[in-house]
Amino acid sequence: MKQVMMPAIGAVIVLTLLSAVFANRVSASKKQTRTNNGNSFAVLELFTSEGCSSCPPADALLARIQTEAGNKPIYVLAYHVDYWNRLGWKDVFSQPQYSKRQYQYSQQLPSQVYTPQLVVNGQTSCIGSDESAVTNAIGDALGNGTTASLGIKAQLQPGKANFTYEVTGNTGNNQLLIAVVQKHAVSKVERGENEGRTLSHVQVVRDLQAFKLRDGKQGAASIHLPDGFNTQDWELIGMIQDPETGVISAAARASL
């Protein structure tokens, strides 16, 4: 790559201007976060498929984001859609309801239906393998606070989890969604566009259930858990979402 050397004086001026712009952005971001109680978060919903040759780079990018997120309020959810199944390989993680969820987003955003598509907080979307677009979307989400919050506590029972939840803020007619998430999975693809490849997945959504919020914004319910569920390899992620607009106003991991 050809490098262009900047004159020393020009470089100082440019760096000074960049520093001023960065400082202003940081200040504005902090001010906005304080105004909105600082409850910012980013829910990353990736619509993907083992039958799509463009999807593995998006899966890899989300895996890295998941690893680097640490304690940040970033929630990664990978939905394997089923409309690729007819093209030579049936994705064992795919479910019709995930395709339906993506089609619903296509009406709400609006957007086209494609893989890999990433939807952030139910409000924006981009190509899931476009690192620059994904990074910007996460930054925007974490820079915008919210007045709503969600807390979930769950107790494991044989084959199910009993949980309680508490919601604050103006949630209107929103729903509580609980995603049952398998943190890691590996699959060897024998046909289709990824024939012969061994694919690694993170944050695979194995079930997604909706619950009506009760009056008082506190309640209890239960959700079925798949065989093999354990606290090390699986987790439960909750979201407060407006079913009409698709906007997600709060999210949290369940305390197991």
Side-chain angles (χ1 to χ4, degrees):
M1 181 180 294
K2 185 178 180 181
Q3 293 183 342
V4 179
M5 301 302 295
M6 184 180 296
I9 297 178
V12 172
I13 294 174
V14 171
L15 289 174
T16 302
L17 290 174
L18 288 175
S19 297
V21 171
F22 179 78
N24 287 337
R25 287 182 176 177
V26 171
S27 177
S29 176
K30 288 182 178 179
K31 181 178 180 181
Q32 184 179 29
T33 300
R34 286 197 301 270
T35 301
N36 291 287
N37 296 330
N39 294 326
S40 60
F41 66 94
V43 173
L44 312 182
E45 297 181 273
L46 177 67
F47 293 92
T48 184
S49 172
E50 291 185 341
C52 165
S53 61
S54 299
C55 288
D59 295 333
L61 175 59
L62 268 291
R64 198 177 81 221
I65 291 173
Q66 172 74 8
T67 299
E68 296 174 352
N71 294 324
K72 294 180 181 178
I74 297 176
Y75 308 95
V76 177
L77 300 169
Y79 301 98
H80 288 237
V81 297
D82 71 337
Y83 51 79
W84 277 90
N85 290 353
R86 65 182 183 274
L87 301 178
W89 175 251
K90 183 177 180 180
D91 189 332
V92 296
F93 303 111
S94 65
Q95 292 193 34
Q97 68 165 319
Y98 304 152
S99 300
K100 182 179 179 181
R101 182 169 178 81
Q102 186 182 22
Y103 274 95
Q104 185 174 7
Y105 272 138
S106 75
Q107 301 296 319
Q108 295 167 332
L109 290 175
S111 69
Q112 295 180 337
V113 173
Y114 62 91
T115 54
Q117 181 184 25
L118 183 72
V119 177
V120 181
N121 286 1
Q123 300 181 57
T124 61
S125 72
C126 63
I127 298 174
S129 56
D130 186 337
E131 184 171 358
S132 177
V134 172
T135 301
N136 289 336
I138 295 174
D140 290 342
L142 294 179
N144 295 324
T146 175
T147 57
S149 67
L150 170 65
I152 308 174
K153 294 182 179 180
Q155 184 177 16
L156 299 183
Q157 301 288 338
K160 68 176 182 178
N162 298 325
F163 66 89
T164 59
Y165 65 85
E166 182 174 0
V167 183
T168 63
N170 183 16
T171 55
N173 295 319
N174 290 2
Q175 294 179 327
L176 169 64
L177 299 180
I178 300 292
V180 181
V181 180
Q182 184 177 353
K183 296 180 180 180
H184 299 282
V186 176
S187 180
K188 185 175 181 180
V189 180
E190 299 177 356
R191 292 180 298 279
E193 291 190 0
N194 290 310
E195 181 180 359
R197 300 184 64 178
T198 298
L199 302 181
S200 178
H201 308 298
V202 298
Q203 298 299 104
V204 181
V205 178
R206 303 302 300 271
D207 193 13
L208 182 68
Q209 295 188 26
F211 301 87
K212 183 178 180 180
L213 293 177
R214 297 181 179 178
D215 295 337
K217 300 183 179 179
Q218 293 181 338
S222 64
I223 186 170
H224 173 76
L225 297 178
D227 293 337
F229 185 97
N230 62 76
T231 57
Q232 180 178 354
D233 303 317
W234 299 71
E235 65 179 351
L236 302 178
I237 295 179
M239 300 172 284
I240 302 298
Q241 185 172 41
D242 187 329
E244 297 297 326
T245 66
V247 174
I248 297 174
S249 58
R253 287 182 176 84
S255 175
L256 298 174

